[in-house]
Amino acid sequence: MSDTIKVGDFLVIKRQKYTKLQKFTSLDTTVHLGKDQIELRALENQPYHSTFQLVPKEGRNRRLYSLDPVTEIRNLKELLIKESGVDNRNIVDDRSTQNLSAEEIQKLREECESSSEIVGKLVENSKSFASKTEYSQEKYLKRKEKKYFEYVQIKRPSIRLIADIYWRLDVDKVMGVRFDTLSQIISYSGVCSVGNFLLYESGTNGLLPAAFLNSVGAGSAGRVVHLHPGNVAQKQALQAMDFPQEQLERCISVNIYSVLRHFHQSKQKESEKGVENGKEVVIAGGGDEENHKRKIESSEDDGPEAKQPKLEEVAKKPPQQWELDNAAACELMGEKFDALVIVAKEHPQNIIKALLPFVKPS
């Protein structure tokens, strides 16, 4: 895991209290923060947690910015607060205290290179700023700074940041799982670097499996089987965390119906008592189901030699990735798991019945 930003990395872009998850796809990648459009070209090979100043680009689009790395952020309080009043009793907020019109302020935004210049001009043209108390002046500057703030910080994605971003964007997409709820799930299930853990979740953008894999850690013996109901697992959070490859390989994402069918069919094949040349083959069913019987009739015309070319064709066809994942998950299911966690939109009763036999006795 590199300490510098590379093309292809996921980034958390922070502007004051606002955070956004963004993939640095290429040098031409741009990101929208409100109405502002920011070019990310300057981020390559810069260290994480660096702070950058928004520099307006010349051209027709006045809301297009490039990034310039800085070491410190200007303190508007020290720059602009020179004198303060005793109280605010004589100040009347009738919107006539600002000498600049809306058109002039918009022109300032186009002409000034930094937000501190804009706020400075607003303070200079305010009739009541100098007579306000220091506390009121600080509130005024914070309000204006929030509107014209010109700095962003680039952070490495973490489970905490991703959970907060997903929660703010859409609570339903993470099924209402806040970060404190996520911490309780990890704590109560005992997810650690040793053991096997079974997780079923029906859609959290990969937040739950990413949190599990993060708790398991790199270079450990812990493994996670991630069950999901869809055709493709949601893995955005897993990809954003940029885990090492060996750590990612210890999280197996499989469809719950497919892997259960694969597991039970494998058990049936192991329990078959085959008798060749027209004798009965008894297949042991699961649970209390009745044993089914089928007859295999041998035919002189349709013997093993006639079927050999087809078998060779099937043998040559390589297994697909989902089949390999199912086989790996079934192997762990045979060993049984140390914990089972279900985070589902649907009622979990049937899911518990299907998965509880794969959990070790407590």
Side-chain angles (χ1 to χ4, degrees):
M1 188 179 294
S2 176
D3 292 331
T4 57
I5 301 170
K6 303 292 183 184
V7 174
D9 291 351
F10 277 86
L11 313 171
V12 173
I13 303 174
K14 182 179 180 182
R15 187 178 186 179
Q16 290 187 316
K17 293 183 179 181
Y18 177 78
T19 52
K20 183 173 184 177
L21 184 65
Q22 175 72 31
K23 186 175 183 180
F24 188 23
T25 309
S26 65
L27 294 177
D28 297 326
T29 302
T30 59
V31 60
H32 289 271
L33 295 182
K35 296 181 180 180
D36 298 332
Q37 186 177 0
I38 303 171
E39 294 181 347
L40 303 183
R41 180 181 296 272
L43 297 183
E44 189 179 22
N45 296 324
Q46 294 289 338
Y48 280 99
H49 303 284
S50 298
T51 302
F52 298 85
Q53 183 179 6
L54 303 182
V55 180
K57 297 201 70 174
E58 296 181 359
R60 297 175 62 184
N61 188 358
R62 294 293 182 179
R63 306 304 291 266
L64 179 63
Y65 299 89
S66 60
L67 295 177
D68 185 28
V70 295
T71 55
E72 60 180 1
I73 299 177
R74 297 177 184 176
N75 191 336
L76 293 181
K77 178 182 175 181
E78 296 178 358
L79 291 174
L80 301 177
I81 297 181
K82 298 176 181 178
E83 57 177 336
S84 304
V86 179
D87 55 48
N88 299 330
R89 69 178 69 184
N90 297 322
I91 298 176
V92 179
D93 187 11
D94 57 357
R95 297 189 178 183
S96 62
T97 56
Q98 180 56 251
N99 294 328
L100 297 176
S101 63
E103 291 77 12
E104 291 173 327
I105 294 174
Q106 182 61 34
K107 190 176 180 180
L108 274 178
R109 297 190 66 168
E110 296 176 358
E111 294 176 352
C112 294
E113 295 183 355
S114 65
S115 63
S116 57
E117 292 182 25
I118 299 174
V119 178
K121 293 289 184 182
L122 294 175
V123 170
E124 288 178 9
N125 289 274
S126 175
K127 299 176 183 177
S128 60
F129 183 81
S131 58
K132 290 182 178 180
T133 62
E134 185 176 356
Y135 176 73
S136 297
Q137 289 175 338
E138 290 179 7
K139 283 180 62 179
Y140 177 86
L141 291 178
K142 284 182 179 179
R143 189 167 66 250
K144 296 302 179 184
E145 186 181 33
K146 183 178 180 180
K147 186 175 182 179
Y148 302 107
F149 195 70
E150 60 180 346
Y151 299 98
V152 295
Q153 187 181 26
I154 308 300
K155 293 188 172 185
R156 187 193 301 276
S158 65
I159 297 296
R160 176 63 180 264
L161 289 173
I162 294 174
D164 290 342
I165 291 171
Y166 284 169
W167 174 266
R168 189 191 70 249
L169 290 176
D170 193 344
V171 176
D172 294 333
K173 286 191 176 181
V174 290
M175 293 190 291
V177 178
R178 298 195 309 262
F179 182 74
D180 56 336
T181 310
L182 187 61
S183 302
Q184 289 181 335
I185 292 173
I186 297 294
S187 177
Y188 292 158
S189 57
V191 180
C192 60
S193 59
V194 179
N196 301 331
F197 306 96
L198 183 59
L199 166 68
Y200 173 83
E201 56 95 19
S202 52
T204 58
N205 284 324
L207 179 62
L208 264 297
F212 271 57
L213 200 57
N214 184 67
S215 298
V216 166
S220 65
R223 289 175 292 184
V224 178
V225 173
H226 168 217
L227 305 180
H228 58 89
N231 294 328
V232 180
Q234 297 180 6
K235 292 187 175 182
Q236 187 184 28
L238 274 171
Q239 296 170 352
M241 287 297 295
D242 192 24
F243 291 119
Q245 185 61 32
E246 65 86 18
Q247 190 174 356
L248 280 174
E249 290 175 354
R250 287 185 283 112
C251 179
I252 306 171
S253 297
V254 289
N255 177 273
I256 183 172
Y257 309 108
S258 176
V259 74
L260 287 176
R261 182 170 59 250
H262 188 283
F263 180 83
H264 292 301
Q265 286 178 352
S266 300
K267 288 298 181 182
Q268 285 180 347
K269 290 179 181 179
E270 291 176 2
S271 61
E272 285 182 354
K273 298 177 181 178
V275 180
E276 297 180 357
N277 299 326
K279 294 186 178 180
E280 292 183 347
V281 178
V282 180
I283 304 176
D288 297 331
E289 295 179 359
E290 297 180 356
N291 292 337
H292 302 282
K293 297 181 179 180
R294 60 188 175 93
K295 292 184 178 181
I296 300 177
E297 297 181 356
S298 60
S299 174
E300 295 180 358
D301 298 332
D302 192 14
E305 295 180 357
K307 295 183 179 180
Q308 189 173 359
K310 292 184 179 180
L311 293 175
E312 289 179 355
E313 291 178 5
V314 174
K316 289 180 181 178
K317 186 178 179 181
Q320 298 184 24
Q321 185 59 44
W322 66 269
E323 295 175 318
L324 297 175
D325 291 340
N326 277 352
C330 287
E331 184 179 350
L332 293 178
M333 291 166 73
E335 298 176 7
K336 296 196 175 182
F337 297 92
D338 297 285
L340 167 64
V341 176
I342 297 174
V343 182
K345 297 177 182 177
E346 59 271 31
H347 196 282
Q349 182 179 2
N350 292 331
I351 302 173
I352 293 174
K353 286 182 178 180
L355 300 181
L356 201 56
F358 302 109
V359 182
K360 296 177 182 178
S362 57

